[in-house]
Each structure stands twice: as C-alpha cells, then as structure tokens.
Amino acid sequence: MVNIYRFNFFLQRVTAAPPKYLWIEPTNKCNFNCDICPVNSLMKRKKGFMEMGLFKRIVDNARKNGITGVTITNWGEPLLHPKIVDLVEYATKSEIKARIVTNGSLLTDNKSKELIQSGLDSIVFSIYGNENDYKKRTNIPFEDIKNKWSTFIDIKNKLNPNIKIIFRTVETDDNHPRLNKLIKEWSHLCDEYEVQQQTIFKAELIDNRKLSCPSLWICPVVLWDGRVVPCCVDYDGELVVGDMNKDDLKNLWNDALIKNLRKLHIKNRFPNRCLKCVERVPSRFVGITLRSILKKAVKKIFS
C-alpha cells in the first residue's frame, strides 16, 4: 500500500487510497508543560477524554475499512485516560495493532503489567533530555521517570518480549549538543531510537512553501471528540474533514472536504495552518540498536 500512497502523492491525485493506519486521540490533556508542545500553551480547543463508546465505533469502522494499525495518542498524555488499557485491549482484540506514545511518568508496576497484557504492539517513550530539561517541564524527578521506563521494560521482557520499545527525542537547539549522549545512554534498552525534528508552532507564515503534504493522502487523525483532521500538526482542529460520531472513514477520506484540501495543496494555495507547518521532512530514525539487529538476524536464521 505504501507504493499506492506514493503513486497518489506524486501524481497529485485528489482521490487517495484507503488509509491503512489511524491516529486516535484518547485525550488532549497532559501532565507536562513542554515548551515544544502546544497542549498547555497555545491549544484553544476544549480538553476532554474520548468516550469508550466512540472509541469502539471508530475501531469497528476502522477494521471494516481495512485499517491494520492505530496509534492511540495524538496530543496529550494517553496514560491520563482512565480506560487507556481498555482502549488498547479493544483495538488489539479487533485484530488491529496498537501503540501508544507516552512520557511514561504515570506508569506504575500494575499499569505497566496491564498495558503489556493488553496486547500492545509497541510503545514510544518520549525523552526530553536530561535532569535540567525535565525540571523546566514537570515537577516529577527525572530519576523517577527513568525508573518507570526501566521497570516497564523489565516487566515487558518477562511477560511479552515481542512488544517493540521505541525511544523518541524531539531535537531542539537546547538539546542538540547532547543528542549523541542521549542516544548512547538509552539506545541499548530499545529496539529503535527516533530523533524527530521540532515543529515550530509559533512560526510565522512560510511564504515559500511549494510541496503538498503527504499526510493528506496517508493517515487521518481522530480527535478525542470524534472530529477528524488530516494530520497531527492541526492541534486546534482548524481543518476538520469529518466526524467519526456519524461518518464512515472510507467515505470521509475521499469526501469533498479532504479533496478540496488536496486541491489547494496541489495548486500551492495552502491554508494558514499548513503555511505554519515545518513538518515537511519525515522524522529521522538515527539508530537501531545492535540488540535489535541481532534479534532480527537470529529470528531469520531459525525461522
């Protein structure tokens, strides 16, 4: 399907292939106050939690339409959702691979065990930097958070070693000099270490933008209240293309609203939200651990 997405994108067709992946936002609330994130600074839309009934409706519709994987995170900290384990479990029992992206600060031994036993496919731990970086963003000691990551991994290795562990750092001017040290410190515990470019949410309009955004052709995002936006950068839901409280995913993904957005991009007539977006280059995966490489090699030998 990736080839079909590229085919659609490069030929600049307004009709897209059915998506195979979906982002679902369980909540847009967060217990951190990060200067690189709009949630507790710039975000104006209402804060809330996705209801279980709506989540089930989305997953059922996604399965019917061929979705094979979901990230149960968008803006906000997913572990704040009181039924996050139930959300993951419902997706996985529906034969859809599920992952979450978390700062990990709310993990307990019991919560870790429940998540691991829920059928979780992968988990992304966001690493913001060192002790000083965490003091700026939360009152939780960095040592406590590190212990929670390590404990989760220990429990995972005992109960379900197949869960993929990914560490992610958003590269900023502040942490750029320390990136290599961070990767060296943590990569031995994970299967992949991802370095993601920073999105500048306070940026002025970019007048020289020339490229269409591939997200419009690839992967919809469902906000906690059911509204659908074409990409995660639209944190305030300015470019709503549907509502999963009533719409069908397959229909809305090639309905008039999203097609009009694609037409605008093709003609280099970008909405303001898109003109402020600097996420025009995909995230850069800078390291896969030796352990992961060896694990894959051994599996290949004995499979």
Side-chain angles (χ1 to χ4, degrees), residues 38 42-43 75 199-206 209 213 229-240 261 265 269-280:
L42 301 175
M43 185 178 287
W75 295 110
T199 298
I200 312 297
F201 292 101
K202 296 181 180 180
E204 299 298 323
L205 299 184
I206 304 169
R209 176 160 192 168
C213 175
V229 293
C231 84
C232 65
V233 174
D234 186 13
Y235 61 85
D236 256 339
E238 298 175 28
L239 304 174
V240 174
L261 270 177
H265 272 241
R269 293 168 54 194
F270 303 102
N272 282 352
R273 177 66 268 164
C274 303
L275 282 173
K276 291 183 179 181
C277 175
V278 297
E279 283 204 356
R280 287 179 264 170

Side-chain angles (χ1 to χ4, degrees), residues 68 149 153 157 163 252 258 266 277:
T68 58
W149 298 338
I153 293 170
N157 288 338
I163 294 177
L252 71 82
I258 188 68
I266 290 168
C277 175

